[in-house]
Amino acid sequence: MRSHYCGDLLEIPAGESVKIAGWVHRRRDLGGLIFLQIRDRSGIIQVVIEPDQAELFAQAEDLRSEFVVCVDGVVRLRPESMINKDMETGTIEVLASGLTVLNKSETPAILIDGHEDVSEELRLKYRYLDLRRPEMQQRLLFRNKVAKKLRDFLEAENFTDIETPILTKATPEGARDYLVPSRTNKGSFFALPQSPQLFKQLLMMSGFDRYYQIVRCFRDEDLRADRQPEFTQLDIETSFMDEEAIMGLMENMIRQVFKDCLDVELGEFPRMPYAEAMQRYGSDKPDLRVAIELVDVADLLKQVEFKVFANPANDPKGRVAVICVPGGAELSRKQIDQYGEYAGRYGAKGLAWIKINETGKGSEGVQSPIAKFLNDDIINQLIERTNANAGDILLFGADSYKVVTDAMGALRLKVASDRNLIEDAWKPLWVVDFPMFEEENGQLHALHHPFTAPQENDADKLRAAPTETLSRAYDMVLNGCEVGGGSVRIHDQNIQSAVFDLLGIEKQEAEEKFGFLLEALKYGCPPHGGIAFGLDRLVMLMVGAESIRDVIAFPKTTTASCPLTSAPSPVSEAQLAELAIKSLAKSKGEDVE
């Protein structure tokens, strides 16, 4: 039906006959001439219809946007004065000799040709129209290119693509499982995998020492801009490689993808310990494009009369930290209060501040409601430690370590975004030396997952000081986003049992949930480790999208629903009966009893 794609006509010599097919993107009738822009997935080309072809001209007069057409014609160069520098094909056009309308279209529910401000709900309801927009088509085509480059790299490194089950067993991996009832085993349920973690470890035990898979994963969790209930990850596992070897190989892969797809040289990937990342940036995924850092000042404030500072400064579990905002002295009181409200979302009870008018003059050189509590020496030391200059503002957080770290880390990014203090660059790094566990209400939780190996392969030391033990985990971070996370895995049954014990997983529960893994560890398990990359998130970063929903063909909303298909939806009583399930919800939208 077509001889060429629209975007490929630049390669065709002028004077050659072509046949193209696609949608009418735009139609302009200039009286003596009709200009059509015809769009397919490769791009847009201008078609000219001249009035001397009366029948063809009459056909073209009836065309509307989004009609599906096939056009015969001849490629020709545009006159110099008619070149459109905003179109990739703007130097050429097609002089039409034939036109076939393949299908008509009603007025689209959303604008394809233009940048109409449409709600995301409407875009997702009419996703098949939204995906016609050139911007969305280019993003999905780019995603395909990235996936191919990742595959090409791994295949060249002797990795094997192996599929793992989608219907599997529920295991604790940090989020709720999506459960699937079994018709043949009534009362029992499959779980959709949060990741192929255990299966890829079993593949290492099976001798497939380099595995990968671009795989669909499922997590029933609250959604954000970079989260979806179903998502795609590049899953990788290797045997006989330590963390340095794995990180080095993955760096090379990501560098090559950025070079091939964006012509960007990523350069070095510095290593940063988790503790340093939290101390300096208030985040385990620090955005190094922002020069602002958290500066600890508790030692300067232990003796001040201002209890908001003194109490956490003297508390071993407290923290007093400050960020210096360049040029921030121009902030109004209203703007500072708004930043205080923003920090409050993370538990902060307020936001103290000092505007620097002049340095070296103590209280005379600053403006602040708390200056009366601080002597000149302390003020000068605060200015010196934060490298503040005249015209800057110091913003303080004082509370528990977690509240200050979370609030000031988030505020650092908010202020940088508002004041254009984010460097236009790519800043990758590895965050390493994560704790094995975090403690909450006296209960230990795995910081990554319970199959991550400790840095010391000693079960007794692990049991003796679990919260002081570091893991062999590593996260790849790019511009403040975690794009990949992995670890060396436990391959010793004694270590794995010790981890389960520390997590409060009783022997019987461990046997029920992980018996197959513990059994496999008895039969010569090799040292192994791996990593998983969020493909959606990686592509989102590379194309500069605001949300991963803009790089997924058919995403869910933030309420985990699909406006296009109205999923999830009720099922019939007959279907429920066949699965031996009774719904506790009496009607749609009613609370479950």
Side-chain angles (χ1 to χ4, degrees), residues 454-469:
Q455 291 189 2
E456 288 192 69
N457 194 41
D458 188 316
D460 292 335
K461 288 184 178 180
L462 178 63
R463 292 179 190 275
T467 58
E468 297 172 20
T469 302

Side-chain angles (χ1 to χ4, degrees), residues 464-478:
T467 58
E468 297 172 20
T469 302
L470 299 180
S471 71
R472 299 177 69 180
Y474 37 83
D475 284 356
M476 182 184 288
V477 177
L478 181 61

